[in-house]
Amino acid sequence: MSGGDDVAEARIPTRMGDGSRVDMTRSELRADIEAGTAEGARKAKCPPLGADELDHLLDLYASPAAFAAVDIGDQVVLSCDGGGSKMTGTDLQDLLESEQRLGQDILELWHIEYSYKAIKTILPFQQQVMQNAQLMLTAPVQYGAQPNLAFYSKPDGPVANWFELLPQGRIAEAKAAIDEAMEHATRDFVYVSDGMMAAGADGIDFDTTGGAGDADLLSTLRAVTHVRGKWPEAGIELGMAGEFVIGIHGELEWEGRRLAGMWPKAQLEVAQDAGATIFGPAVNIRASKSCAWNSAFALTVIKPCMEVARIPVHPNVGQGVCGVPVNGYPGEDASSRAAKACVEILRCDGL
Amino acid sequence: MDVTHALAAGMGGIRTAGDLVARMQMSRGMRLKEAKEYVAGKLGCGVRDLSDSYAMEQVRGDRGLGRIIDHSNLHPGEPNAMYAKFRIADLLDLRINSVERFKELAGL
């Protein structure tokens, strides 16, 4: 054999979106990255990543290194929603470990029933933990839970189930049920937020917002506005459930802007206008695509945020979002690459 | 996951000045560059020092801003936790909610 064309291209260990390891060539990785950004640009109607950004992403994913990290001095703030293990004795011990051993920048007190509707019933218990934690910790501690609007529909909640009414064509009844659910939900978000701030919290985290669609987001934005007004220096983090707001209701608006169909840039704009101080875009992983494809896709749809952000942007890099595999134990090679890519290509403010 | 991100991209919390920069993001909505410059200005150090555990241990100790405590780094008599947050509020010209609650409940 002779000639460079016959030499097989080296295969580099990398991962798929489900976390499994796969060996790909540099050419295959480049093709995936180009396809990922093209798909992101097509879906979010935004520009694809530039040539320099694609090259940088390729160098990151074509490296066989077991771990990747940002350059010295480029580190960002980590807002650790749902942080800790819940297996370290008490919540207070868990938070101390997160501060003293893991070096987290923003700590979060949370309960395993990670929903404002559930937390409402145990608020004094959570307030006591927050008060005690604030005496013991130096780093800021926010309180976090999810809006989970669907919990307000029958059989879990008091309102007619719009997910059953909509397929039956009972549109007006479904929309009325959604309106009623939002009233209940916002009231709970405000009740818990006020309670935790009164107990000394440094801020409130609305985590996985929009999981039940546009009404989920609207009920949260209303609560954000309340917290901003009542607690002027409170941190308010609004983290999203996905890259696209599903139009379950379809006609809901925030100050004239329709929520259904919003991509991260528009999500950020309503969040910061409502009074949030940290916005967390989330882009769900495609398990059958490589992590390189997923990172390219996520960065492409989030990047327009960075040009209009007045508040810090912390892309979600938990399991199954923004290039981190959807797996109970995502490989640190993949997770660290996702973090490095967000910091170096988006120039984001945190994670 | 927590460890991975802390090592790959995190500022380091109270090992460095990550908590201080975080407070400016949370309470004032400052973007990262602005928040780092604000904190570095208040501390009288360089922006790059903010995520340097060697540099910040000295600064935090000198100013009583709270440091990591373990068996080989004990600082009895030095401010930590709530004590340190009083100093952080003064340093950053910030109203820290738990400090205000402490004053109220302690009758200060």
Side-chain angles (χ1 to χ4, degrees), chain A residues 107-126:
Chain A
L107 309 169
E108 181 170 299
L109 174 65
W110 56 286
H111 191 276
I112 201 70
E113 292 280 358
Y114 200 49
S115 170
Y116 281 97
K117 180 169 178 274
I119 302 307
K120 173 182 64 175
T121 65
I122 54 167
L123 181 62
F125 167 69
Q126 291 289 268

mmCIF file with all atom_site columns, all heavy atoms in Angstrom, chain A residues 107-126:
data_model
loop_
_atom_site.group_PDB
_atom_site.id
_atom_site.type_symbol
_atom_site.label_atom_id
_atom_site.label_alt_id
_atom_site.label_comp_id
_atom_site.label_asym_id
_atom_site.label_entity_id
_atom_site.label_seq_id
_atom_site.pdbx_PDB_ins_code
_atom_site.Cartn_x
_atom_site.Cartn_y
_atom_site.Cartn_z
_atom_site.occupancy
_atom_site.B_iso_or_equiv
_atom_site.pdbx_formal_charge
_atom_site.auth_seq_id
_atom_site.auth_comp_id
_atom_site.auth_asym_id
_atom_site.auth_atom_id
_atom_site.pdbx_PDB_model_num
ATOM 1   N N   . LEU A 1 107 ? -25.026 28.027 46.612 1.00 0.00 ? 107 LEU A N   1
ATOM 2   C CA  . LEU A 1 107 ? -25.594 26.798 47.155 1.00 0.00 ? 107 LEU A CA  1
ATOM 3   C C   . LEU A 1 107 ? -27.109 26.847 47.023 1.00 0.00 ? 107 LEU A C   1
ATOM 4   O O   . LEU A 1 107 ? -27.692 27.923 46.908 1.00 0.00 ? 107 LEU A O   1
ATOM 5   C CB  . LEU A 1 107 ? -25.211 26.646 48.626 1.00 0.00 ? 107 LEU A CB  1
ATOM 6   C CG  . LEU A 1 107 ? -23.718 26.785 48.934 1.00 0.00 ? 107 LEU A CG  1
ATOM 7   C CD1 . LEU A 1 107 ? -23.502 26.882 50.432 1.00 0.00 ? 107 LEU A CD1 1
ATOM 8   C CD2 . LEU A 1 107 ? -22.943 25.611 48.364 1.00 0.00 ? 107 LEU A CD2 1
ATOM 9   N N   . GLU A 1 108 ? -27.711 25.681 47.053 1.00 0.00 ? 108 GLU A N   1
ATOM 10  C CA  . GLU A 1 108 ? -29.172 25.666 46.968 1.00 0.00 ? 108 GLU A CA  1
ATOM 11  C C   . GLU A 1 108 ? -29.739 24.685 47.977 1.00 0.00 ? 108 GLU A C   1
ATOM 12  O O   . GLU A 1 108 ? -29.376 23.506 47.991 1.00 0.00 ? 108 GLU A O   1
ATOM 13  C CB  . GLU A 1 108 ? -29.640 25.283 45.561 1.00 0.00 ? 108 GLU A CB  1
ATOM 14  C CG  . GLU A 1 108 ? -31.171 25.280 45.441 1.00 0.00 ? 108 GLU A CG  1
ATOM 15  C CD  . GLU A 1 108 ? -31.662 25.143 44.016 1.00 0.00 ? 108 GLU A CD  1
ATOM 16  O OE1 . GLU A 1 108 ? -31.336 26.031 43.200 1.00 0.00 ? 108 GLU A OE1 1
ATOM 17  O OE2 . GLU A 1 108 ? -32.362 24.159 43.718 1.00 0.00 ? 108 GLU A OE2 1
ATOM 18  N N   . LEU A 1 109 ? -30.637 25.192 48.820 1.00 0.00 ? 109 LEU A N   1
ATOM 19  C CA  . LEU A 1 109 ? -31.428 24.309 49.671 1.00 0.00 ? 109 LEU A CA  1
ATOM 20  C C   . LEU A 1 109 ? -32.635 23.863 48.868 1.00 0.00 ? 109 LEU A C   1
ATOM 21  O O   . LEU A 1 109 ? -33.303 24.694 48.229 1.00 0.00 ? 109 LEU A O   1
ATOM 22  C CB  . LEU A 1 109 ? -31.877 25.044 50.941 1.00 0.00 ? 109 LEU A CB  1
ATOM 23  C CG  . LEU A 1 109 ? -32.829 24.254 51.844 1.00 0.00 ? 109 LEU A CG  1
ATOM 24  C CD1 . LEU A 1 109 ? -32.156 23.014 52.433 1.00 0.00 ? 109 LEU A CD1 1
ATOM 25  C CD2 . LEU A 1 109 ? -33.354 25.152 52.983 1.00 0.00 ? 109 LEU A CD2 1
ATOM 26  N N   . TRP A 1 110 ? -32.901 22.584 48.886 1.00 0.00 ? 110 TRP A N   1
ATOM 27  C CA  . TRP A 1 110 ? -34.045 22.053 48.145 1.00 0.00 ? 110 TRP A CA  1
ATOM 28  C C   . TRP A 1 110 ? -34.525 20.790 48.839 1.00 0.00 ? 110 TRP A C   1
ATOM 29  O O   . TRP A 1 110 ? -33.805 20.201 49.647 1.00 0.00 ? 110 TRP A O   1
ATOM 30  C CB  . TRP A 1 110 ? -33.672 21.747 46.684 1.00 0.00 ? 110 TRP A CB  1
ATOM 31  C CG  . TRP A 1 110 ? -32.524 20.808 46.510 1.00 0.00 ? 110 TRP A CG  1
ATOM 32  C CD1 . TRP A 1 110 ? -31.193 21.078 46.721 1.00 0.00 ? 110 TRP A CD1 1
ATOM 33  C CD2 . TRP A 1 110 ? -32.581 19.438 46.096 1.00 0.00 ? 110 TRP A CD2 1
ATOM 34  N NE1 . TRP A 1 110 ? -30.432 19.959 46.445 1.00 0.00 ? 110 TRP A NE1 1
ATOM 35  C CE2 . TRP A 1 110 ? -31.254 18.938 46.067 1.00 0.00 ? 110 TRP A CE2 1
ATOM 36  C CE3 . TRP A 1 110 ? -33.617 18.581 45.734 1.00 0.00 ? 110 TRP A CE3 1
ATOM 37  C CZ2 . TRP A 1 110 ? -30.943 17.635 45.698 1.00 0.00 ? 110 TRP A CZ2 1
ATOM 38  C CZ3 . TRP A 1 110 ? -33.302 17.274 45.352 1.00 0.00 ? 110 TRP A CZ3 1
ATOM 39  C CH2 . TRP A 1 110 ? -31.981 16.815 45.339 1.00 0.00 ? 110 TRP A CH2 1
ATOM 40  N N   . HIS A 1 111 ? -35.720 20.410 48.544 1.00 0.00 ? 111 HIS A N   1
ATOM 41  C CA  . HIS A 1 111 ? -36.315 19.213 49.132 1.00 0.00 ? 111 HIS A CA  1
ATOM 42  C C   . HIS A 1 111 ? -36.542 18.193 48.020 1.00 0.00 ? 111 HIS A C   1
ATOM 43  O O   . HIS A 1 111 ? -36.749 18.560 46.871 1.00 0.00 ? 111 HIS A O   1
ATOM 44  C CB  . HIS A 1 111 ? -37.641 19.570 49.806 1.00 0.00 ? 111 HIS A CB  1
ATOM 45  C CG  . HIS A 1 111 ? -38.211 18.473 50.651 1.00 0.00 ? 111 HIS A CG  1
ATOM 46  N ND1 . HIS A 1 111 ? -38.970 17.450 50.127 1.00 0.00 ? 111 HIS A ND1 1
ATOM 47  C CD2 . HIS A 1 111 ? -38.116 18.234 51.982 1.00 0.00 ? 111 HIS A CD2 1
ATOM 48  C CE1 . HIS A 1 111 ? -39.319 16.638 51.114 1.00 0.00 ? 111 HIS A CE1 1
ATOM 49  N NE2 . HIS A 1 111 ? -38.826 17.086 52.239 1.00 0.00 ? 111 HIS A NE2 1
ATOM 50  N N   . ILE A 1 112 ? -36.527 16.929 48.403 1.00 0.00 ? 112 ILE A N   1
ATOM 51  C CA  . ILE A 1 112 ? -36.665 15.890 47.395 1.00 0.00 ? 112 ILE A CA  1
ATOM 52  C C   . ILE A 1 112 ? -38.024 15.971 46.676 1.00 0.00 ? 112 ILE A C   1
ATOM 53  O O   . ILE A 1 112 ? -38.152 15.566 45.521 1.00 0.00 ? 112 ILE A O   1
ATOM 54  C CB  . ILE A 1 112 ? -36.435 14.483 48.036 1.00 0.00 ? 112 ILE A CB  1
ATOM 55  C CG1 . ILE A 1 112 ? -36.059 13.472 46.974 1.00 0.00 ? 112 ILE A CG1 1
ATOM 56  C CG2 . ILE A 1 112 ? -37.639 14.062 48.859 1.00 0.00 ? 112 ILE A CG2 1
ATOM 57  C CD1 . ILE A 1 112 ? -34.685 13.676 46.392 1.00 0.00 ? 112 ILE A CD1 1
ATOM 58  N N   . GLU A 1 113 ? -39.039 16.533 47.336 1.00 0.00 ? 113 GLU A N   1
ATOM 59  C CA  . GLU A 1 113 ? -40.316 16.842 46.658 1.00 0.00 ? 113 GLU A CA  1
ATOM 60  C C   . GLU A 1 113 ? -40.130 18.193 45.963 1.00 0.00 ? 113 GLU A C   1
ATOM 61  O O   . GLU A 1 113 ? -40.657 19.194 46.403 1.00 0.00 ? 113 GLU A O   1
ATOM 62  C CB  . GLU A 1 113 ? -41.462 16.904 47.672 1.00 0.00 ? 113 GLU A CB  1
ATOM 63  C CG  . GLU A 1 113 ? -41.799 15.585 48.302 1.00 0.00 ? 113 GLU A CG  1
ATOM 64  C CD  . GLU A 1 113 ? -42.657 14.700 47.408 1.00 0.00 ? 113 GLU A CD  1
ATOM 65  O OE1 . GLU A 1 113 ? -43.013 15.139 46.298 1.00 0.00 ? 113 GLU A OE1 1
ATOM 66  O OE2 . GLU A 1 113 ? -42.955 13.570 47.818 1.00 0.00 ? 113 GLU A OE2 1
ATOM 67  N N   . TYR A 1 114 ? -39.381 18.198 44.889 1.00 0.00 ? 114 TYR A N   1
ATOM 68  C CA  . TYR A 1 114 ? -38.848 19.425 44.272 1.00 0.00 ? 114 TYR A CA  1
ATOM 69  C C   . TYR A 1 114 ? -39.915 20.159 43.469 1.00 0.00 ? 114 TYR A C   1
ATOM 70  O O   . TYR A 1 114 ? -39.793 20.349 42.265 1.00 0.00 ? 114 TYR A O   1
ATOM 71  C CB  . TYR A 1 114 ? -37.676 19.011 43.389 1.00 0.00 ? 114 TYR A CB  1
ATOM 72  C CG  . TYR A 1 114 ? -36.681 20.095 43.026 1.00 0.00 ? 114 TYR A CG  1
ATOM 73  C CD1 . TYR A 1 114 ? -36.128 20.929 43.977 1.00 0.00 ? 114 TYR A CD1 1
ATOM 74  C CD2 . TYR A 1 114 ? -36.272 20.256 41.702 1.00 0.00 ? 114 TYR A CD2 1
ATOM 75  C CE1 . TYR A 1 114 ? -35.199 21.892 43.639 1.00 0.00 ? 114 TYR A CE1 1
ATOM 76  C CE2 . TYR A 1 114 ? -35.338 21.208 41.343 1.00 0.00 ? 114 TYR A CE2 1
ATOM 77  C CZ  . TYR A 1 114 ? -34.807 22.030 42.318 1.00 0.00 ? 114 TYR A CZ  1
ATOM 78  O OH  . TYR A 1 114 ? -33.876 22.979 41.954 1.00 0.00 ? 114 TYR A OH  1
ATOM 79  N N   . SER A 1 115 ? -40.994 20.557 44.169 1.00 0.00 ? 115 SER A N   1
ATOM 80  C CA  . SER A 1 115 ? -42.104 21.216 43.498 1.00 0.00 ? 115 SER A CA  1
ATOM 81  C C   . SER A 1 115 ? -42.719 22.226 44.467 1.00 0.00 ? 115 SER A C   1
ATOM 82  O O   . SER A 1 115 ? -42.943 21.906 45.643 1.00 0.00 ? 115 SER A O   1
ATOM 83  C CB  . SER A 1 115 ? -43.145 20.168 43.095 1.00 0.00 ? 115 SER A CB  1
ATOM 84  O OG  . SER A 1 115 ? -44.323 20.784 42.650 1.00 0.00 ? 115 SER A OG  1
ATOM 85  N N   . TYR A 1 116 ? -42.983 23.446 43.986 1.00 0.00 ? 116 TYR A N   1
ATOM 86  C CA  . TYR A 1 116 ? -43.513 24.477 44.892 1.00 0.00 ? 116 TYR A CA  1
ATOM 87  C C   . TYR A 1 116 ? -44.821 24.036 45.536 1.00 0.00 ? 116 TYR A C   1
ATOM 88  O O   . TYR A 1 116 ? -45.096 24.360 46.691 1.00 0.00 ? 116 TYR A O   1
ATOM 89  C CB  . TYR A 1 116 ? -43.694 25.799 44.134 1.00 0.00 ? 116 TYR A CB  1
ATOM 90  C CG  . TYR A 1 116 ? -42.384 26.536 43.971 1.00 0.00 ? 116 TYR A CG  1
ATOM 91  C CD1 . TYR A 1 116 ? -41.644 26.432 42.797 1.00 0.00 ? 116 TYR A CD1 1
ATOM 92  C CD2 . TYR A 1 116 ? -41.864 27.310 45.003 1.00 0.00 ? 116 TYR A CD2 1
ATOM 93  C CE1 . TYR A 1 116 ? -40.425 27.086 42.661 1.00 0.00 ? 116 TYR A CE1 1
ATOM 94  C CE2 . TYR A 1 116 ? -40.652 27.971 44.880 1.00 0.00 ? 116 TYR A CE2 1
ATOM 95  C CZ  . TYR A 1 116 ? -39.931 27.854 43.703 1.00 0.00 ? 116 TYR A CZ  1
ATOM 96  O OH  . TYR A 1 116 ? -38.716 28.494 43.585 1.00 0.00 ? 116 TYR A OH  1
ATOM 97  N N   . LYS A 1 117 ? -45.638 23.296 44.796 1.00 0.00 ? 117 LYS A N   1
ATOM 98  C CA  . LYS A 1 117 ? -46.927 22.858 45.339 1.00 0.00 ? 117 LYS A CA  1
ATOM 99  C C   . LYS A 1 117 ? -46.721 21.963 46.556 1.00 0.00 ? 117 LYS A C   1
ATOM 100 O O   . LYS A 1 117 ? -47.446 22.070 47.551 1.00 0.00 ? 117 LYS A O   1
ATOM 101 C CB  . LYS A 1 117 ? -47.701 22.098 44.246 1.00 0.00 ? 117 LYS A CB  1
ATOM 102 C CG  . LYS A 1 117 ? -49.065 21.587 44.680 1.00 0.00 ? 117 LYS A CG  1
ATOM 103 C CD  . LYS A 1 117 ? -49.837 21.103 43.454 1.00 0.00 ? 117 LYS A CD  1
ATOM 104 C CE  . LYS A 1 117 ? -51.196 20.520 43.824 1.00 0.00 ? 117 LYS A CE  1
ATOM 105 N NZ  . LYS A 1 117 ? -51.114 19.104 44.178 1.00 0.00 ? 117 LYS A NZ  1
ATOM 106 N N   . ALA A 1 118 ? -45.734 21.090 46.486 1.00 0.00 ? 118 ALA A N   1
ATOM 107 C CA  . ALA A 1 118 ? -45.450 20.201 47.613 1.00 0.00 ? 118 ALA A CA  1
ATOM 108 C C   . ALA A 1 118 ? -44.764 20.949 48.748 1.00 0.00 ? 118 ALA A C   1
ATOM 109 O O   . ALA A 1 118 ? -45.057 20.718 49.930 1.00 0.00 ? 118 ALA A O   1
ATOM 110 C CB  . ALA A 1 118 ? -44.581 19.037 47.144 1.00 0.00 ? 118 ALA A CB  1
ATOM 111 N N   . ILE A 1 119 ? -43.861 21.851 48.407 1.00 0.00 ? 119 ILE A N   1
ATOM 112 C CA  . ILE A 1 119 ? -43.102 22.574 49.434 1.00 0.00 ? 119 ILE A CA  1
ATOM 113 C C   . ILE A 1 119 ? -44.028 23.433 50.293 1.00 0.00 ? 119 ILE A C   1
ATOM 114 O O   . ILE A 1 119 ? -43.780 23.630 51.493 1.00 0.00 ? 119 ILE A O   1
ATOM 115 C CB  . ILE A 1 119 ? -42.008 23.456 48.781 1.00 0.00 ? 119 ILE A CB  1
ATOM 116 C CG1 . ILE A 1 119 ? -41.053 22.605 47.936 1.00 0.00 ? 119 ILE A CG1 1
ATOM 117 C CG2 . ILE A 1 119 ? -41.239 24.240 49.842 1.00 0.00 ? 119 ILE A CG2 1
ATOM 118 C CD1 . ILE A 1 119 ? -40.432 21.430 48.637 1.00 0.00 ? 119 ILE A CD1 1
ATOM 119 N N   . LYS A 1 120 ? -45.090 23.930 49.683 1.00 0.00 ? 120 LYS A N   1
ATOM 120 C CA  . LYS A 1 120 ? -46.050 24.754 50.425 1.00 0.00 ? 120 LYS A CA  1
ATOM 121 C C   . LYS A 1 120 ? -46.482 24.058 51.718 1.00 0.00 ? 120 LYS A C   1
ATOM 122 O O   . LYS A 1 120 ? -46.660 24.702 52.747 1.00 0.00 ? 120 LYS A O   1
ATOM 123 C CB  . LYS A 1 120 ? -47.261 25.010 49.518 1.00 0.00 ? 120 LYS A CB  1
ATOM 124 C CG  . LYS A 1 120 ? -48.419 25.713 50.183 1.00 0.00 ? 120 LYS A CG  1
ATOM 125 C CD  . LYS A 1 120 ? -49.577 25.882 49.211 1.00 0.00 ? 120 LYS A CD  1
ATOM 126 C CE  . LYS A 1 120 ? -50.137 24.549 48.769 1.00 0.00 ? 120 LYS A CE  1
ATOM 127 N NZ  . LYS A 1 120 ? -51.338 24.680 47.902 1.00 0.00 ? 120 LYS A NZ  1
ATOM 128 N N   . THR A 1 121 ? -46.634 22.738 51.663 1.00 0.00 ? 121 THR A N   1
ATOM 129 C CA  . THR A 1 121 ? -47.157 22.001 52.821 1.00 0.00 ? 121 THR A CA  1
ATOM 130 C C   . THR A 1 121 ? -46.114 21.776 53.908 1.00 0.00 ? 121 THR A C   1
ATOM 131 O O   . THR A 1 121 ? -46.463 21.390 55.021 1.00 0.00 ? 121 THR A O   1
ATOM 132 C CB  . THR A 1 121 ? -47.703 20.626 52.376 1.00 0.00 ? 121 THR A CB  1
ATOM 133 O OG1 . THR A 1 121 ? -46.610 19.832 51.878 1.00 0.00 ? 121 THR A OG1 1
ATOM 134 C CG2 . THR A 1 121 ? -48.744 20.780 51.284 1.00 0.00 ? 121 THR A CG2 1
ATOM 135 N N   . ILE A 1 122 ? -44.843 21.997 53.584 1.00 0.00 ? 122 ILE A N   1
ATOM 136 C CA  . ILE A 1 122 ? -43.776 21.794 54.584 1.00 0.00 ? 122 ILE A CA  1
ATOM 137 C C   . ILE A 1 122 ? -42.918 23.049 54.727 1.00 0.00 ? 122 ILE A C   1
ATOM 138 O O   . ILE A 1 122 ? -41.750 22.980 55.103 1.00 0.00 ? 122 ILE A O   1
ATOM 139 C CB  . ILE A 1 122 ? -42.870 20.595 54.202 1.00 0.00 ? 122 ILE A CB  1
ATOM 140 C CG1 . ILE A 1 122 ? -42.312 20.762 52.779 1.00 0.00 ? 122 ILE A CG1 1
ATOM 141 C CG2 . ILE A 1 122 ? -43.625 19.280 54.344 1.00 0.00 ? 122 ILE A CG2 1
ATOM 142 C CD1 . ILE A 1 122 ? -41.189 19.792 52.453 1.00 0.00 ? 122 ILE A CD1 1
ATOM 143 N N   . LEU A 1 123 ? -43.510 24.194 54.428 1.00 0.00 ? 123 LEU A N   1
ATOM 144 C CA  . LEU A 1 123 ? -42.726 25.430 54.411 1.00 0.00 ? 123 LEU A CA  1
ATOM 145 C C   . LEU A 1 123 ? -42.024 25.715 55.745 1.00 0.00 ? 123 LEU A C   1
ATOM 146 O O   . LEU A 1 123 ? -40.822 26.034 55.749 1.00 0.00 ? 123 LEU A O   1
ATOM 147 C CB  . LEU A 1 123 ? -43.604 26.610 53.983 1.00 0.00 ? 123 LEU A CB  1
ATOM 148 C CG  . LEU A 1 123 ? -42.884 27.956 53.911 1.00 0.00 ? 123 LEU A CG  1
ATOM 149 C CD1 . LEU A 1 123 ? -41.768 27.930 52.873 1.00 0.00 ? 123 LEU A CD1 1
ATOM 150 C CD2 . LEU A 1 123 ? -43.870 29.082 53.595 1.00 0.00 ? 123 LEU A CD2 1
ATOM 151 N N   . PRO A 1 124 ? -42.693 25.605 56.889 1.00 0.00 ? 124 PRO A N   1
ATOM 152 C CA  . PRO A 1 124 ? -41.988 25.915 58.147 1.00 0.00 ? 124 PRO A CA  1
ATOM 153 C C   . PRO A 1 124 ? -40.761 25.028 58.359 1.00 0.00 ? 124 PRO A C   1
ATOM 154 O O   . PRO A 1 124 ? -39.736 25.503 58.875 1.00 0.00 ? 124 PRO A O   1
ATOM 155 C CB  . PRO A 1 124 ? -43.054 25.655 59.217 1.00 0.00 ? 124 PRO A CB  1
ATOM 156 C CG  . PRO A 1 124 ? -44.346 25.832 58.507 1.00 0.00 ? 124 PRO A CG  1
ATOM 157 C CD  . PRO A 1 124 ? -44.113 25.298 57.117 1.00 0.00 ? 124 PRO A CD  1
ATOM 158 N N   . PHE A 1 125 ? -40.843 23.771 57.963 1.00 0.00 ? 125 PHE A N   1
ATOM 159 C CA  . PHE A 1 125 ? -39.702 22.867 58.084 1.00 0.00 ? 125 PHE A CA  1
ATOM 160 C C   . PHE A 1 125 ? -38.539 23.353 57.221 1.00 0.00 ? 125 PHE A C   1
ATOM 161 O O   . PHE A 1 125 ? -37.377 23.400 57.665 1.00 0.00 ? 125 PHE A O   1
ATOM 162 C CB  . PHE A 1 125 ? -40.140 21.459 57.669 1.00 0.00 ? 125 PHE A CB  1
ATOM 163 C CG  . PHE A 1 125 ? -39.012 20.502 57.453 1.00 0.00 ? 125 PHE A CG  1
ATOM 164 C CD1 . PHE A 1 125 ? -38.245 20.039 58.508 1.00 0.00 ? 125 PHE A CD1 1
ATOM 165 C CD2 . PHE A 1 125 ? -38.708 20.050 56.171 1.00 0.00 ? 125 PHE A CD2 1
ATOM 166 C CE1 . PHE A 1 125 ? -37.201 19.157 58.297 1.00 0.00 ? 125 PHE A CE1 1
ATOM 167 C CE2 . PHE A 1 125 ? -37.668 19.173 55.950 1.00 0.00 ? 125 PHE A CE2 1
ATOM 168 C CZ  . PHE A 1 125 ? -36.913 18.727 57.013 1.00 0.00 ? 125 PHE A CZ  1
ATOM 169 N N   . GLN A 1 126 ? -38.847 23.753 56.007 1.00 0.00 ? 126 GLN A N   1
ATOM 170 C CA  . GLN A 1 126 ? -37.795 24.244 55.109 1.00 0.00 ? 126 GLN A CA  1
ATOM 171 C C   . GLN A 1 126 ? -37.250 25.598 55.566 1.00 0.00 ? 126 GLN A C   1
ATOM 172 O O   . GLN A 1 126 ? -36.068 25.892 55.433 1.00 0.00 ? 126 GLN A O   1
ATOM 173 C CB  . GLN A 1 126 ? -38.329 24.342 53.673 1.00 0.00 ? 126 GLN A CB  1
ATOM 174 C CG  . GLN A 1 126 ? -38.604 22.987 53.057 1.00 0.00 ? 126 GLN A CG  1
ATOM 175 C CD  . GLN A 1 126 ? -37.317 22.219 52.742 1.00 0.00 ? 126 GLN A CD  1
ATOM 176 O OE1 . GLN A 1 126 ? -36.784 22.294 51.660 1.00 0.00 ? 126 GLN A OE1 1
ATOM 177 N NE2 . GLN A 1 126 ? -36.810 21.480 53.707 1.00 0.00 ? 126 GLN A NE2 1
#
